[in-house]
Amino acid sequence: MRSEFSVAAHWRGEFDEAELRGWSAHLRAQLLAPRVSLGLIFIHPKLFPHAAQILELARLHAQTPLLVGCSSTGLIAASEEAEDVPGLALGLYYLPGAELRAFHFTQEDIEAAAEPEYWPRKFGVGKEQTNAWLCFMDPFHLDSEAWLESWNKSYAPLPILGGLASGNYTEQLTQVYLDGHVYEEGGIAISIGGDVTLEGVISQGCTPIGDTWTITKAERNFIYEIGNRPAYQVLANMVSELPVVEQQKCRGNLFVGLVMDEYREEFHRGDFLIRNLIGADPKSGLLAVAAFPRAGQTLQFQRRDAAASTEDISALLRQTHERLGTRSVYGGCLCCCNGRGARLFGQPSHDARHVQGEFGPFGLAGFFCNGEIGPVGGKSFLHGYTAALALFVQKKTNA
């Protein structure tokens, strides 16, 4: 497939310099654009010894001035997801009018980022000089939650999307890539500015069940009361009112959805931050969740399974396409939880094919993550069991 704005493909197998040289050049030839603005590359851990050579081959023969990415045991290119198959995925993007800058950061930077001005000062990119961020990072030697908290202070509500690399779990080793450099620690952040921005589709794999409720008493990660009733009682009553088939689907698959933007008149799919329901006590009536809910916050219970995940990503992709209207979509980067894929859906390439079905054919590259990054309600979060799609789109004009 030849394309004006983006192309992506898998390289499967062992390292072969001559073959990779020709493959990279062939992929560049599929892109009809006058130049490449950005290359995204994701490499399987079995090719770690050759990573630096692979980067140089891609930069030179795919004519890529800016090349970024990370390692992963699962690779995504075009409409295919290759899980635990040695090789690499490479996407090439022509982004008209984009202003791109990329940086490597470390755990030491995170520990020094005590004030919102730290990151803009260090990289020379203020909130007014960028539209969005695409980020990849090492999960073993970097406090990703602390990083995201400090990055949000500097740049929210601008969208931050991406994911945590996967690699050699035995040795706790991953890689992140910036141009010809291979880093085994830290993260890579790409500022997307100029006439291009990112539009995020954050499919957390759940479907809402029951009504929305207001939390009336909460402390730390415990919810004591919902609608002035014991929280456990509200949950138990909600489940008991479901049809028997739906009750069975809820067993072991219940989650909590928390609204992040309370200023909306109505709440819909995509407005909720999904977090684990980690405990429930019928005696005290409390629920324990993997978040810090607050009194006055809107809550809705959620169910996660393969069918719910399919329903969720289909609906969110469709909503996003309608919202973008006539704005150009140049390509995408798909960051999927390593708990999705064939493990969840029973067949490969589920998420990639849904993305291509809604927006394609276009260049789509990505990987399976140890955690996914994306915005909900004007702030970005670290997610699990999520498909985080970053679409490169034409920036909306003020006219």
Side-chain angles (χ1 to χ4, degrees):
M1 178 195 75
R2 305 191 75 188
S3 173
E4 181 181 1
F5 294 111
S6 57
V7 292
H10 280 117
W11 165 271
R12 299 172 187 263
E14 303 296 328
F15 175 78
D16 185 311
E17 182 175 350
E19 292 290 332
L20 272 168
R21 186 187 306 124
W23 178 81
S24 299
H26 177 72
L27 185 62
R28 172 62 184 93
Q30 301 307 302
L31 186 66
L32 299 176
R35 62 183 176 85
V36 178
S37 306
L38 173 67
L40 296 180
I41 190 164
F42 306 99
I43 300 177
H44 191 278
K46 289 188 177 180
L47 295 183
F48 275 179
H50 308 287
Q53 294 168 274
I54 292 170
L55 296 180
E56 286 305 314
L57 288 169
R59 293 178 71 203
L60 179 61
H61 298 287
Q63 303 172 21
T64 308
L66 177 60
L67 182 64
V68 295
C70 66
S71 64
S72 179
T73 56
L75 308 171
I76 300 171
S79 60
E80 295 185 1
E81 301 169 8
E83 300 179 56
D84 204 23
V85 177
L88 64 97
L90 178 62
L92 305 178
Y93 305 85
Y94 170 55
L95 306 174
E99 297 175 5
L100 308 175
R101 298 178 65 183
F103 313 94
H104 175 249
F105 58 90
T106 65
Q107 179 62 30
E108 288 72 24
D109 289 317
I110 295 171
E111 294 170 359
E115 54 186 22
E117 294 79 18
Y118 177 85
W119 297 111
R121 184 172 60 244
K122 178 177 177 63
F123 296 134
V125 179
K127 186 186 294 188
E128 70 285 351
Q129 296 168 300
T130 186
N131 302 321
W133 292 92
L134 182 62
C135 302
F136 312 115
M137 63 197 64
D138 158 44
F140 296 126
H141 308 98
L142 199 74
D143 186 341
S144 52
E145 290 279 12
W147 164 79
L148 190 53
E149 181 180 355
S150 67
W151 209 268
N152 271 315
K153 289 179 180 177
S154 297
Y155 295 108
L158 299 180
I160 307 162
L161 292 117
L164 277 58
S166 60
N168 188 322
Y169 293 98
T170 303
E171 299 180 13
Q172 292 198 331
L173 178 64
T174 63
Q175 295 179 344
V176 292
Y177 311 121
L178 175 55
D179 291 329
H181 299 285
V182 177
Y183 300 99
E184 294 182 350
E185 295 185 4
I188 305 296
I190 309 103
S191 167
I192 314 294
D195 297 333
V196 177
T197 187
L198 295 180
E199 183 76 21
V201 180
I202 310 303
S203 176
Q204 299 173 80
C206 286
T207 191
I209 53 175
D211 298 322
T212 57
W213 297 88
T214 300
I215 299 171
T216 48
K217 184 179 180 182
E219 182 180 353
R220 295 180 297 170
N221 67 315
F222 299 114
I223 302 174
Y224 289 92
E225 293 182 0
I226 299 173
N228 294 312
R229 296 162 55 197
Y232 179 87
Q233 180 184 345
V234 173
L235 172 62
N237 289 350
M238 183 272 297
V239 172
S240 68
E241 293 171 358
L242 295 173
V244 175
V245 174
E246 293 298 315
Q247 292 183 34
Q248 293 172 345
K249 291 180 180 179
C250 288
R251 291 173 185 169
N253 295 315
L254 278 176
F255 294 78
V256 170
L258 300 169
V259 167
M260 292 293 107
D261 182 2
E262 295 285 350
Y263 294 99
R264 295 178 180 270
E265 293 183 2
E266 296 181 349
F267 304 117
H268 302 285
R269 187 187 302 273
D271 295 331
F272 295 87
L273 176 66
I274 308 300
R275 287 297 185 252
N276 287 343
L277 178 61
I278 57 179
D281 184 2
K283 293 184 178 179
S284 65
L286 66 80
L287 303 176
V289 301
F292 293 97
R294 63 182 185 276
Q297 192 169 22
T298 300
L299 169 150
Q300 189 171 26
F301 294 104
Q302 312 274 329
R303 189 189 80 242
R304 177 181 284 154
D305 55 25
S309 296
T310 298
E311 178 184 340
D312 188 57
I313 195 170
S314 299
L316 290 172
L317 288 169
R318 184 171 58 253
Q319 291 171 16
T320 302
H321 204 165
E322 292 172 354
R323 185 171 64 252
L324 288 173
T326 60
R327 292 162 62 192
S328 296
V329 178
Y330 302 120
C333 177
L334 180 58
C335 305
C336 286
C337 176
N338 53 25
R340 292 174 70 96
R343 294 178 182 85
L344 177 62
F345 298 107
Q347 58 183 357
S349 305
H350 175 278
D351 292 331
R353 289 176 181 172
H354 274 77
V355 173
Q356 291 287 5
E358 188 65 47
F359 290 100
F362 71 167
L364 179 70
F367 68 110
F368 283 82
C369 312
N370 273 318
E372 304 74 55
I373 303 164
V376 177
K379 183 180 178 182
S380 294
F381 296 89
L382 189 63
H383 305 278
Y385 298 98
T386 292
L389 172 65
L391 293 169
F392 298 101
V393 303
Q394 181 183 24
K395 184 180 178 182
K396 189 175 182 179
T397 61
N398 294 325

